[in-house]
């Protein structure tokens, strides 16, 4: 049933859109879009292709996407899509009020760099890697001070 192809293509396009909004690697975004196009162009159900273990023979489908297709066919969902859809935790979203951080930068830090806690953020600032991000517009010293104050405030 070609319905699988349509559903997967829709999921992959949604993932590409979410990744794009999170400023993910443009090649990764493009890979999801190419895979969606390839699935829509497929003249047979992708489940049959998976059964023959020929997913990677589809133009634009590599090892990673083949695994995601198999996961979808087995479970009806994609864990990676559910994770992408999940909103930022409220505490993390609040980081945008820290000096030099914006909503989009906070999303980038959380989803792309896996900065999940204030101590993680403090460590990133201390490594001086934050200053290499073009969307960071502030003083590392002021940001680090504000982060350390929040850490102390939340952990009595």
């Amino acid at each position: 049933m070609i319905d699988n192809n349509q559903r997967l293509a829709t999921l992959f396009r949604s993932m590409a859109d979410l990744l794009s909004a999170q400023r993910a690697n443009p090649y990764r975004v493009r890979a999801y879009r190419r895979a969606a196009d390839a699935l829509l162009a497929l003249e047979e159900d992708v489940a049959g292709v998976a059964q023959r273990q020929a997913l990677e023979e589809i133009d634009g489908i590599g090892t990673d996407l083949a695994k995601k297709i198999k996961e979808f066919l087995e479970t009806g969902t994609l864990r990676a899509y559910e994770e992408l859809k999940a909103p930022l935790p409220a505490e993390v979203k609040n980081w945008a009020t820290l000096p030099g951080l914006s909503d989009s930068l906070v999303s980038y830090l959380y989803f792309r760099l896996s900065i999940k806690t204030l101590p993680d953020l403090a460590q990133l600032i201390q490594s001086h890697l934050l200053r290499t991000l073009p969307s960071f517009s502030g003083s590392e010293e002021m940001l680090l001070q504000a982060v350390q104050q929040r850490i102390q405030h939340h952990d009595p």
Side-chain angles (χ1 to χ4, degrees):
M1 90 197 223
I2 304 241
D3 181 44
N4 283 329
N5 301 19
Q6 179 66 47
R7 290 176 52 213
L8 263 168
T10 301
L11 272 175
F12 282 170
R13 280 197 203 290
S14 293
M15 290 176 75
D17 292 343
L18 289 166
L19 287 166
S20 180
Q22 294 171 9
R23 298 179 352 191
N25 182 326
Y27 294 106
R28 189 169 173 219
V29 173
R30 203 169 314 128
Y32 278 105
R33 290 197 172 117
R34 277 192 66 205
D37 292 342
L39 288 167
L40 290 175
L42 204 58
E43 295 189 8
E44 67 175 301
D45 186 0
V46 70
V49 179
Q51 220 167 13
R52 292 195 313 272
Q53 297 188 1
L55 288 172
E56 292 180 44
E57 293 171 19
I58 300 170
D59 189 35
I61 306 291
T63 307
D64 186 54
L65 290 172
K67 286 179 188 171
K68 285 180 173 48
I69 291 169
K70 288 176 192 169
E71 177 189 344
F72 174 81
L73 293 172
E74 290 168 9
T75 66
T77 62
L78 277 178
R79 190 175 68 252
Y81 175 66
E82 297 305 320
E83 289 171 4
L84 279 174
K85 271 191 345 182
L88 285 172
E91 184 176 310
V92 173
K93 196 173 206 166
N94 194 30
W95 293 356
T97 61
L98 290 165
L101 298 185
S102 64
D103 288 328
S104 62
L105 181 54
V106 170
S107 285
Y108 180 81
L109 294 173
Y110 186 81
F111 291 110
R112 289 282 294 139
L113 301 183
S114 294
I115 304 298
K116 309 280 188 200
T117 66
L118 284 170
D120 290 346
L121 181 57
Q123 189 175 3
L124 178 73
I125 299 163
Q126 290 167 331
S127 73
H128 302 294
L129 290 174
L130 188 62
R131 72 170 71 154
T132 64
L133 300 176
S135 52
F136 176 65
S137 62
S139 156
E140 287 179 326
E141 294 77 26
M142 286 179 61
L143 179 57
L144 183 59
Q145 194 173 29
V147 168
Q148 288 171 336
Q149 285 175 343
R150 282 202 189 173
I151 290 171
Q152 289 172 353
H153 179 70
H154 287 299
D155 295 327

